[in-house]
């Protein structure tokens, strides 16, 4: 197996302290948003044999296993991250696999450069993802019931929000959510800045259920995403709880430290809380206008101590072992690639001793046993 040397991405929304705290190093004072573990070409993990991209390219069937190569192709299907949000991320959705293929092919035909700031589809893959909290973790996930959203907006006492309240009351669920999100994102920018400023002041004054939105407005003053965010469920995860984010589900991470895993894609359509490109027509085509509970996941424990976060896709499977002092996990050998990540304590994986933030890549069929006292996350695929 290969110990991984991983890149930390310094996005502006990153916490300055959470990842250094996990790693046990002094903060640099700069934001540290995400630590990537995997073979994404944008920041592949490094090993003693080269980057993980180079290692897999040299012999995909040996590293990934014949079954994974047959199902997903000669690439690692997932990207594992430690994510540390010190400020809200952009409000966004991801396409399903068919939408991603069609969107990518269309932009390729039109000759839009892959690095163009107005390009929507960087690849032809979908991007389902799972976030598991290591600390208390706040986020937005999926639409509220339209009547609940109407009550939240109405409670601010802002006259310019009255039209949205009326729309949420006047139409069936899908039509109501579609019309209001469309109206928010296509409103006159100057009028929307005034509306957001009034709403932010009211959120600050009222507190309680409005506190999260006051904080969002502090980071993104005048952004229409502040109002759009109030259409969504606000959820606070406790350590060990998770959210699965499928195609078309609007979401945003607000604050906290977590382990994130996703299909190996970079396709994002933004709804707001960002200075980046927002393609409203394409966004409205991708969003699923369905209200529902945020769907907090808790791991399902097996007899051997593995706690699995069940999701409906095959590109990744995330689980964890919480080992007591002197604890051992069973043989973790699997006919598929794995990344093992320690997040607490000190755990031995094969011949590698891991402390928080350290990880290893385990090729398919390589024998690996785990022991020690701590928590280790296991990322693999379903073949």
């Amino acid at each position: 197996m290969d110990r991984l040397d991983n890149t930390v991405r310094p996005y502006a929304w990153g916490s300055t302290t959470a990842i250094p705290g996990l790693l046990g190093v002094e903060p640099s004072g700069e934001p540290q948003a995400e630590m990537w573990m995997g073979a994404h070409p944008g920041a592949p993990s490094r090993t003693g044999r080269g980057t993980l991209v180079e290692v897999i390219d040299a012999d995909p069937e040996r590293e990934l296993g014949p079954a994974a190569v047959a199902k997903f192709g000669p690439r690692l299907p997932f990207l594992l991250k430690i994510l540390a949000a010190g400020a809200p991320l952009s409000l966004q959705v991801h396409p399903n696999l068919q939408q991603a293929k069609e969107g990518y092919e269309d932009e390729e035909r039109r000759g839009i450069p892959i690095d163009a700031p107005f390009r929507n589809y960087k690849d032809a893959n979908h991007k389902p993802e799972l976030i598991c909290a290591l600390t208390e973790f706040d986020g937005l996930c999926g639409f509220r019931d339209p009547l609940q959203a109407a009550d939240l907006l109405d409670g601010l006492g802002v006259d310019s929000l009255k039209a949205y309240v009326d729309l949420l009351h006047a139409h069936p669920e899908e039509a109501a959510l579609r019309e209001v999100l469309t109206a928010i994102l296509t409103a006159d920018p100057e009028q929307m800045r005034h509306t957001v400023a009034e709403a932010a002041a009211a959120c600050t004054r009222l507190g309680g259920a409005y506190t999260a939105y006051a904080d969002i407005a502090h980071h993104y003053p005048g952004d229409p995403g502040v109002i759009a965010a109030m259409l969504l469920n606000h959820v606070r995860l406790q350590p060990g709880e998770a959210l699965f984010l499928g195609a078309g589900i609007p979401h945003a991470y607000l604050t906290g430290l977590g382990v994130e895993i996703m299909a190996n894609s970079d396709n994002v359509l933004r709804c707001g809380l960002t200075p980046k490109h927002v393609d409203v027509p394409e966004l409205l085509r991708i969003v699923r206008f369905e209200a529902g509970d945020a769907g907090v996941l808790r791991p399902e424990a097996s007899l051997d101590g593995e706690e699995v976060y069940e999701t409906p896709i095959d590109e990744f499977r995330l689980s964890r072992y919480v080992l007591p002092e002197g604890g051992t996990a069973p043989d973790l050998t699997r006919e598929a690639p794995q990344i093992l990540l320690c997040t607490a304590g000190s755990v031995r994986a094969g011949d590698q001793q891991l402390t928080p933030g350290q990880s290893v890549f385990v090729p398919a069929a390589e024998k690996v046993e785990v022991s020690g006292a701590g928590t280790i996350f296991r990322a693999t695929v379903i073949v």
Side-chain angles (χ1 to χ4, degrees):
M1 71 182 66
D2 298 277
R3 183 181 288 269
L4 299 180
D5 179 14
N6 303 305
T7 297
V8 176
R9 310 306 294 264
Y11 306 137
W13 50 262
S15 167
T16 59
T17 58
I19 288 178
L22 180 73
L23 298 176
V25 300
E26 285 295 315
S28 67
E30 299 298 316
Q32 298 189 24
E34 296 180 347
M35 185 168 76
W36 288 20
M37 291 157 280
H40 191 287
S45 298
R46 298 169 295 278
T47 78
R49 298 186 285 158
T51 70
L52 196 53
V53 170
E54 294 167 341
V55 168
I56 292 170
D57 284 350
D59 194 345
E61 291 214 349
R62 178 185 181 278
E63 302 298 332
L64 305 177
V69 171
K71 189 169 185 176
F72 304 110
R75 60 184 182 83
L76 189 66
F78 64 83
L79 176 64
L80 185 66
K81 300 179 181 180
I82 294 174
L83 183 146
L89 283 66
S90 62
L91 191 60
Q92 61 189 257
V93 296
H94 306 302
N96 63 31
L97 188 55
Q98 185 62 33
Q99 290 165 339
K101 288 178 178 178
E102 292 173 354
Y104 179 79
E105 290 169 1
D106 175 64
E107 291 185 327
E108 286 290 282
R109 278 195 304 269
R110 289 190 282 141
I112 299 175
I114 200 72
D115 57 353
F118 53 88
R119 178 152 180 160
N120 294 314
Y121 297 95
K122 304 299 177 68
D123 53 68
N125 200 17
H126 62 165
K127 193 188 176 191
E129 59 190 42
L130 177 79
I131 183 77
C132 177
L134 294 178
T135 64
E136 203 170 69
F137 193 98
D138 275 25
L140 305 172
C141 181
F143 286 108
R144 298 175 183 267
D145 178 278
L147 298 183
Q148 294 176 356
D151 288 345
L152 194 69
L153 291 172
D154 198 33
L156 293 172
V158 175
D159 288 343
S160 53
L161 294 176
K162 183 69 163 57
Y164 304 146
V165 173
D166 291 344
L167 284 172
L168 290 166
H169 279 288
H171 298 286
E173 175 182 293
E174 181 178 349
L177 294 170
R178 180 182 292 276
E179 289 197 31
V180 172
L181 184 61
T182 302
I184 291 169
L185 297 180
T186 57
D188 177 79
E190 189 59 33
Q191 291 179 359
M192 179 54 70
R193 278 192 286 273
H194 288 299
T195 296
V196 173
E198 286 188 64
C203 287
T204 300
R205 183 179 70 254
L206 293 167
Y210 294 98
T211 301
Y213 305 102
D215 185 63
I216 292 170
H218 170 73
H219 288 285
Y220 297 97
D223 193 304
V226 174
I227 306 302
M230 300 181 75
L231 303 177
L232 307 186
N233 296 300
H234 175 228
V235 60
R236 176 164 292 166
L237 301 178
Q238 297 304 312
E241 294 180 334
L243 288 174
F244 173 71
L245 302 156
I249 302 299
H251 61 277
Y253 302 146
L254 303 180
T255 60
L257 181 69
V259 173
E260 185 182 36
I261 190 168
M262 62 189 65
N264 200 1
S265 170
D266 198 25
N267 286 325
V268 175
L269 288 116
R270 296 174 178 85
C271 316
L273 310 183
T274 178
K276 295 182 179 179
H277 176 60
V278 176
D279 184 336
V280 175
E282 184 65 8
L283 170 72
L284 296 174
R285 191 177 76 86
I286 298 302
V287 171
R288 288 167 52 190
F289 290 97
E290 302 171 3
D293 185 81
V296 174
L297 292 177
R298 295 171 181 84
E300 298 182 16
S302 61
L303 292 177
D304 65 3
E306 185 179 28
E307 300 178 343
V308 181
Y309 294 90
E310 297 287 354
T311 66
I313 52 94
D314 293 345
E315 281 90 342
F316 61 76
R317 175 184 183 273
L318 186 70
S319 62
R320 68 174 185 174
Y321 288 89
V322 181
L323 303 176
E325 187 68 42
T328 60
D331 183 358
L332 302 189
T333 307
R334 189 176 177 88
E335 296 295 323
Q338 303 182 74
I339 291 178
L340 304 179
L341 165 68
C342 177
T343 60
S346 179
V347 177
R348 189 167 189 81
D351 61 355
Q352 300 285 339
Q353 193 72 34
L354 304 178
T355 56
Q358 295 181 335
S359 56
V360 293
F361 173 73
V362 184
E366 182 162 323
K367 184 175 178 61
V368 57
E369 295 180 345
V370 174
S371 62
T375 300
I376 194 160
F377 280 82
R378 181 193 201 190
T380 185
V381 300
I382 297 175
V383 295

